[in-house]
Short mmCIF file of all heavy atoms in Angstrom, two decimals:
data_model
loop_
_atom_site.label_atom_id
_atom_site.label_comp_id
_atom_site.label_asym_id
_atom_site.label_seq_id
_atom_site.Cartn_x
_atom_site.Cartn_y
_atom_site.Cartn_z
N ASP A 117 11.30 -103.81 84.75
CA ASP A 117 12.05 -102.54 85.18
C ASP A 117 13.49 -102.63 84.78
O ASP A 117 14.25 -101.81 85.21
CB ASP A 117 11.87 -102.36 86.63
CG ASP A 117 12.42 -103.62 87.42
OD1 ASP A 117 12.87 -104.57 86.80
OD2 ASP A 117 12.40 -103.61 88.66
N GLY A 118 13.86 -103.67 83.99
CA GLY A 118 15.26 -103.64 83.47
C GLY A 118 16.09 -104.47 84.37
O GLY A 118 17.24 -104.81 84.03
N ASN A 119 15.65 -104.83 85.58
CA ASN A 119 16.43 -105.70 86.56
C ASN A 119 16.00 -107.12 86.36
O ASN A 119 15.28 -107.56 87.33
CB ASN A 119 16.28 -105.05 87.91
CG ASN A 119 16.84 -103.72 88.12
OD1 ASN A 119 17.96 -103.44 87.58
ND2 ASN A 119 16.14 -102.91 88.85
N ILE A 120 16.39 -107.78 85.42
CA ILE A 120 16.07 -109.11 85.18
C ILE A 120 16.77 -110.01 86.16
O ILE A 120 16.23 -111.17 86.55
CB ILE A 120 16.18 -109.56 83.73
CG1 ILE A 120 15.49 -110.88 83.45
CG2 ILE A 120 17.66 -109.71 83.34
CD1 ILE A 120 15.34 -111.26 81.99
N GLU A 121 17.95 -109.66 86.65
CA GLU A 121 18.71 -110.53 87.61
C GLU A 121 19.12 -109.64 88.77
O GLU A 121 19.71 -108.53 88.64
CB GLU A 121 19.87 -111.08 86.99
CG GLU A 121 19.61 -112.25 86.06
CD GLU A 121 20.84 -113.00 85.55
OE1 GLU A 121 21.95 -112.68 85.92
OE2 GLU A 121 20.55 -113.97 84.83
N THR A 122 18.87 -110.08 89.97
CA THR A 122 19.18 -109.39 91.18
C THR A 122 19.61 -110.37 92.34
O THR A 122 19.19 -111.55 92.25
CB THR A 122 18.01 -108.63 91.73
OG1 THR A 122 16.90 -109.44 91.93
CG2 THR A 122 17.60 -107.45 90.86
N GLU A 123 20.56 -109.92 93.08
CA GLU A 123 21.01 -110.83 94.13
C GLU A 123 20.07 -110.43 95.36
O GLU A 123 19.84 -109.34 95.76
CB GLU A 123 22.46 -110.55 94.51
CG GLU A 123 23.42 -111.24 93.67
CD GLU A 123 24.90 -111.41 94.29
OE1 GLU A 123 24.94 -111.46 95.48
OE2 GLU A 123 25.75 -111.36 93.44
N ILE A 124 19.71 -111.60 96.09
CA ILE A 124 18.90 -111.35 97.25
C ILE A 124 19.45 -112.16 98.35
O ILE A 124 20.13 -113.23 98.07
CB ILE A 124 17.37 -111.69 97.03
CG1 ILE A 124 17.24 -113.20 96.53
CG2 ILE A 124 16.76 -110.83 95.96
CD1 ILE A 124 15.82 -113.72 96.38
N THR A 125 19.18 -111.79 99.70
CA THR A 125 19.63 -112.59 100.81
C THR A 125 18.87 -113.89 101.02
O THR A 125 17.71 -114.05 100.45
CB THR A 125 19.59 -111.73 102.06
OG1 THR A 125 18.23 -111.44 102.40
CG2 THR A 125 20.26 -110.42 101.86
N LEU A 126 19.37 -114.73 101.91
CA LEU A 126 18.57 -115.93 102.10
C LEU A 126 17.17 -115.62 102.86
O LEU A 126 16.25 -116.30 102.66
CB LEU A 126 19.35 -116.81 103.20
CG LEU A 126 20.62 -117.46 102.67
CD1 LEU A 126 21.41 -118.13 103.83
CD2 LEU A 126 20.34 -118.37 101.50
N GLU A 127 17.20 -114.43 103.68
CA GLU A 127 15.91 -114.08 104.31
C GLU A 127 14.90 -113.44 103.41
O GLU A 127 13.72 -113.38 103.61
CB GLU A 127 16.29 -113.03 105.41
CG GLU A 127 17.12 -113.61 106.55
CD GLU A 127 18.57 -113.82 106.22
OE1 GLU A 127 19.13 -113.23 105.24
OE2 GLU A 127 19.17 -114.76 106.84
N ASP A 128 15.42 -113.01 102.17
CA ASP A 128 14.41 -112.33 101.26
C ASP A 128 13.80 -113.16 100.12
O ASP A 128 13.38 -112.65 99.11
CB ASP A 128 15.08 -111.12 100.69
CG ASP A 128 15.41 -110.03 101.70
OD1 ASP A 128 14.66 -109.99 102.58
OD2 ASP A 128 16.50 -109.34 101.52
N PHE A 129 14.05 -114.58 100.23
CA PHE A 129 13.54 -115.39 99.21
C PHE A 129 11.98 -115.15 99.05
O PHE A 129 11.20 -115.14 100.05
CB PHE A 129 13.77 -116.86 99.41
CG PHE A 129 13.54 -117.75 98.20
CD1 PHE A 129 14.42 -117.95 97.34
CD2 PHE A 129 12.31 -118.30 97.98
CE1 PHE A 129 14.27 -118.73 96.20
CE2 PHE A 129 12.00 -119.12 96.85
CZ PHE A 129 13.01 -119.34 95.94
N PRO A 130 11.40 -114.95 97.88
CA PRO A 130 9.97 -114.66 97.69
C PRO A 130 9.04 -115.67 98.18
O PRO A 130 9.41 -116.93 97.98
CB PRO A 130 9.91 -114.34 96.15
CG PRO A 130 11.05 -114.95 95.47
CD PRO A 130 12.10 -114.92 96.57
N SER A 131 7.95 -115.46 98.62
CA SER A 131 6.96 -116.39 99.13
C SER A 131 6.17 -117.04 97.90
O SER A 131 6.30 -116.42 96.86
CB SER A 131 5.92 -115.70 100.11
OG SER A 131 5.15 -114.79 99.30
N PRO A 132 5.47 -118.11 98.08
CA PRO A 132 4.64 -118.65 97.09
C PRO A 132 3.58 -117.62 96.45
O PRO A 132 3.41 -117.58 95.21
CB PRO A 132 3.95 -119.84 97.67
CG PRO A 132 4.87 -120.18 98.87
CD PRO A 132 5.43 -118.94 99.31
N GLU A 133 3.04 -116.75 97.37
CA GLU A 133 2.10 -115.87 96.95
C GLU A 133 2.68 -114.81 96.13
O GLU A 133 2.05 -114.29 95.12
CB GLU A 133 1.38 -115.18 98.21
CG GLU A 133 0.53 -116.17 99.06
CD GLU A 133 1.36 -117.08 99.78
OE1 GLU A 133 2.55 -116.79 100.16
OE2 GLU A 133 0.84 -118.21 100.19
N GLN A 134 3.94 -114.30 96.41
CA GLN A 134 4.63 -113.36 95.65
C GLN A 134 4.86 -113.77 94.28
O GLN A 134 4.66 -113.03 93.24
CB GLN A 134 5.87 -112.92 96.30
CG GLN A 134 5.65 -112.03 97.59
CD GLN A 134 6.93 -111.80 98.38
OE1 GLN A 134 7.80 -112.72 98.56
NE2 GLN A 134 7.14 -110.55 98.81
N LEU A 135 5.42 -115.00 94.16
CA LEU A 135 5.64 -115.51 92.79
C LEU A 135 4.41 -115.86 91.97
O LEU A 135 4.49 -115.60 90.79
CB LEU A 135 6.57 -116.78 92.90
CG LEU A 135 8.02 -116.64 93.33
CD1 LEU A 135 8.74 -117.92 93.19
CD2 LEU A 135 8.77 -115.52 92.63
#
Side-chain angles (χ1 to χ4, degrees):
D117 58 2
N119 294 320
I120 195 167
E121 287 189 0
T122 55
E123 279 197 30
I124 58 176
T125 67
L126 292 175
E127 291 73 25
D128 290 331
F129 193 87
S131 68
E133 294 73 23
Q134 287 173 316
L135 289 188

